[in-house]
Amino acid sequence: MTDTRPTLRLKPKANARAIRHGAPWVYDNEAVTDRRTKNIAAGAIAVLEDGEREPLATVAVNTNSRIIARVLDRDPAAVIDRAWLVARLTAAHTHREHLYDAPYYRLVHAEADGLPGVIIDRFGDIAVIQPNAAWADVLIEDIASALAEVTGVTTILKNAAGRARVLEGLDQDNAVLLGTAPEAALPVPMNGATYMADLMGGQKTGLFYDQRPNHAFAAGLSKDARVLDVFSHVGGFALAALAGGATSALSVDGSAPALALAEQGAAAMGAVDRFSTRQGDAFDVLTQLGEEGAQFDVVICDPPAFAPSKRSLEQGLRAYERIARLAAPLVAPGGYLGLCSCSHAASIEKFRASSTRGIGRAGRASQLIHTGYAGADHPQHPNLAESGYLKALFYRILP
């Protein structure tokens, strides 16, 4: 049978070997972008060829994006249909079922799970899909149908918010793909804590599962401790610390709705009497706490991505240093400071250097006792540094 799919060809000097060895992306400056190529519809499935016209892979094309092609399958003859989607989703689901005894996790982590640009988080019988690539938008109904078949979820929501869809030239329209949208925040159990996830109006898919192992590590430091959680969102580290036996936890965030959800989570855990919140700009609140002479046994700072791109790297690193400089004086002698980054552009080495410099500028001596990453439901694609975005550094602040 004649292959009627369009073709996308690499330029002669492009690195075809990288694709053969597993690289998942082709940038627009690596491909021949003639009139025929520009006429390929966004999200179309195509055959990727090298400069000698040898087929390399089956790809999804989007000429509106800097990433002009995403590798779907290294088999150039692969058929991207419902059966293919079921196979990919089954592989992802099997992995998570091995990891967790309850269905609360990231089910699909984009390229690392063989579904480029697709994020799926599971909340019991509800799944939230972020189709952050054009091909996934085109096939969203098939993805939802295959997802229901594989997992048995009864409600599937599409979350179209976020920077990634803007970069792909996609809309920001949310939708209910299956079932009925929840009318209230859902309780999510994790590390002995209860988090309230707003799947319709919250950030991203409603909850950040990636910090699960770092929450657990912080909880292990928090027995009988006074804990400060900055950039807390819906209670992240604070609720985990309370579950770990903290005597008190203060959540700081700029979002009143997020802090209200954190309070609901504390109530669901029976920990309201040990929990408090403070709304405001994190830098301002850290400064104010320092002026008040506040002291905590454990301080955690988990900010948004200060360096979302290489262009913003230096500015982002300065912000990470400033966070460390403001937070370190709040740690009681012998206490612990956790500093996190979700900026893929900031390598672990650069982030560590900025954090350590900030602690030193605060006049504190420290030991680096632990380095954490995202949980195993957020696998890294070995050929894509961006998939290893999360870093968490835990320091002991010396007496």
Side-chain angles (χ1 to χ4, degrees):
M1 183 180 295
T2 303
D3 193 339
T4 59
R5 295 176 298 174
T7 59
L8 179 72
R9 191 168 73 254
L10 294 178
K11 292 178 178 178
K13 292 185 179 180
N15 188 5
R17 180 179 297 177
I19 298 296
R20 290 191 176 95
H21 291 175
W25 291 349
V26 177
Y27 289 101
D28 56 1
N29 63 352
E30 299 175 306
V32 175
T33 51
D34 54 19
R35 183 182 302 173
R36 178 184 54 81
T37 301
K38 292 178 180 178
N39 285 333
I40 297 176
I45 309 302
V47 177
L48 178 68
E49 298 179 341
D50 66 16
E52 303 300 320
R53 297 185 183 273
E54 284 293 318
L56 286 174
T58 297
V59 298
V61 177
N62 185 358
T63 58
N64 300 318
S65 172
R66 175 85 171 85
I67 304 170
I68 195 171
R70 298 173 186 261
V71 175
L72 296 175
D73 201 302
R74 293 171 71 178
D75 178 1
V79 178
I80 309 303
D81 56 10
R82 194 172 183 283
W84 184 90
L85 291 168
V86 166
R88 292 291 167 101
L89 288 166
T90 298
H93 183 245
T94 299
H95 171 54
R96 276 68 180 187
E97 290 289 282
H98 277 299
L99 294 174
Y100 306 109
D101 57 7
Y104 297 91
Y105 42 67
R106 173 147 295 181
L107 176 61
V108 170
H109 194 50
E111 277 75 0
D113 279 303
L115 290 163
V118 178
I119 297 296
I120 304 177
D121 283 346
R122 184 172 181 182
F123 302 89
D125 293 330
I126 302 176
V128 181
I129 304 176
Q130 284 188 307
N132 293 331
W135 78 274
D137 243 20
V138 172
L139 295 180
I140 191 64
E141 296 295 339
D142 285 337
I143 293 173
S145 175
L147 177 61
E149 176 185 332
V150 170
T151 65
V153 296
T154 55
T155 297
I156 300 176
L157 309 175
K158 173 189 172 184
N159 184 305
R163 179 173 177 268
R165 285 182 62 85
V166 173
L167 294 175
E168 284 279 299
L170 303 174
D171 65 48
Q172 305 283 289
D173 301 329
N174 296 335
V176 178
L177 304 175
L178 178 69
T180 304
E183 296 181 356
L186 298 180
V188 176
M190 189 161 55
N191 290 321
T194 300
Y195 297 89
M196 302 304 294
D198 180 358
L199 305 189
M200 299 302 293
Q203 292 184 41
K204 303 289 185 177
T205 62
L207 192 69
F208 298 111
Y209 283 127
D210 52 1
Q211 286 281 22
R212 187 190 321 240
N214 301 315
H215 287 166
F217 185 82
L221 302 175
S222 299
K223 184 173 176 55
D224 300 326
R226 301 160 295 170
V227 176
L228 172 64
D229 179 15
V230 186
F231 303 100
S232 182
H233 190 225
V234 298
F237 283 93
L239 298 185
L242 291 173
T247 57
S248 67
L250 171 61
S251 278
V252 175
D253 201 271
S255 168
L259 291 176
L261 289 171
E263 290 175 334
Q264 290 179 37
M269 297 166 56
V272 169
D273 58 331
R274 295 183 286 142
F275 183 66
S276 58
T277 66
R278 190 156 170 172
Q279 184 189 355
D281 175 82
F283 291 97
D284 291 343
V285 173
L286 285 170
T287 300
Q288 292 161 7
L289 288 170
E291 292 170 348
E292 294 166 12
Q295 289 275 277
F296 302 87
D297 304 298
V298 177
V299 175
I300 310 288
C301 298
D302 182 18
F306 286 150
S309 65
K310 291 182 179 179
R311 183 178 301 175
S312 60
L313 177 58
E314 291 308 315
Q315 179 180 352
L317 292 174
R318 287 194 296 272
Y320 288 124
E321 179 182 332
R322 185 182 174 204
I323 285 288
R325 178 172 57 81
L326 292 172
L330 303 178
V331 182
Y336 299 96
L337 174 62
L339 301 169
C340 306
S341 167
C342 59
S343 299
H344 69 79
S347 67
I348 183 64
E349 293 82 9
K350 289 182 181 296
F351 174 56
R352 185 171 57 233
S354 292
S355 298
T356 303
R357 185 163 54 248
I359 294 170
R361 288 187 63 196
R364 304 302 299 271
S366 66
Q367 301 166 317
L368 181 61
I369 63 167
H370 179 72
T371 301
Y373 300 93
D377 56 342
H378 290 65
Q380 296 185 31
H381 189 298
N383 297 95
L384 188 64
E386 286 85 347
S387 63
Y389 63 95
L390 183 66
K391 287 83 65 175
L393 304 174
F394 288 87
Y395 295 84
R396 179 170 180 259
I397 303 301
L398 297 175

